[in-house]
Amino acid sequence: MKITATGAGGFAGLSQHLEVDTDTSPAGPALEAALASSGFFTSSENFSPPIGADLGHWTITADDGRRRHSLSFIETGGPPWQNLLDLIRSAA
């Protein structure tokens, strides 16, 4: 499975792009389990554009070859998406 996370905003206004292939990453099984337990592929959650440039926002996309799904959220939005982002950061 290919997982990407793209973020922008925050106090410094930086953008980030992270990529993880769960087939080759040691963290792959944990990431796939986190996606499954969070309901990622069935979530329709997407944020409204944040008010204030200092709010970081992220889009996570997962593609397992059969399905592709993306969701967007404001950083520090809490579990489960923030936890998933933390896992992606540690694996990338």
Side-chain angles (χ1 to χ4, degrees), residues 61-85:
T61 302
D63 186 338
D64 68 2
R66 295 175 292 127
R67 57 192 171 169
R68 177 183 169 98
H69 186 71
S70 297
L71 65 81
S72 299
F73 64 97
I74 296 174
E75 190 167 9
T76 69
W81 315 132
Q82 186 63 46
N83 296 342
L84 181 58
L85 176 59

Side-chain angles (χ1 to χ4, degrees), residues 13-42:
L14 301 176
S15 58
Q16 294 181 3
H17 182 79
L18 309 168
E19 293 184 19
V20 179
D21 183 340
T22 62
D23 292 334
T24 60
S25 172
L31 278 167
E32 288 186 14
L35 285 170
S37 68
S38 69
F40 178 85
F41 282 103
T42 58

Side-chain angles (χ1 to χ4, degrees), residues 7-15 47-58 74-75:
F11 289 112
L14 301 176
S15 58
F47 73 95
S48 298
I51 298 173
D54 61 338
L55 296 174
H57 55 278
W58 285 86
I74 296 174
E75 190 167 9

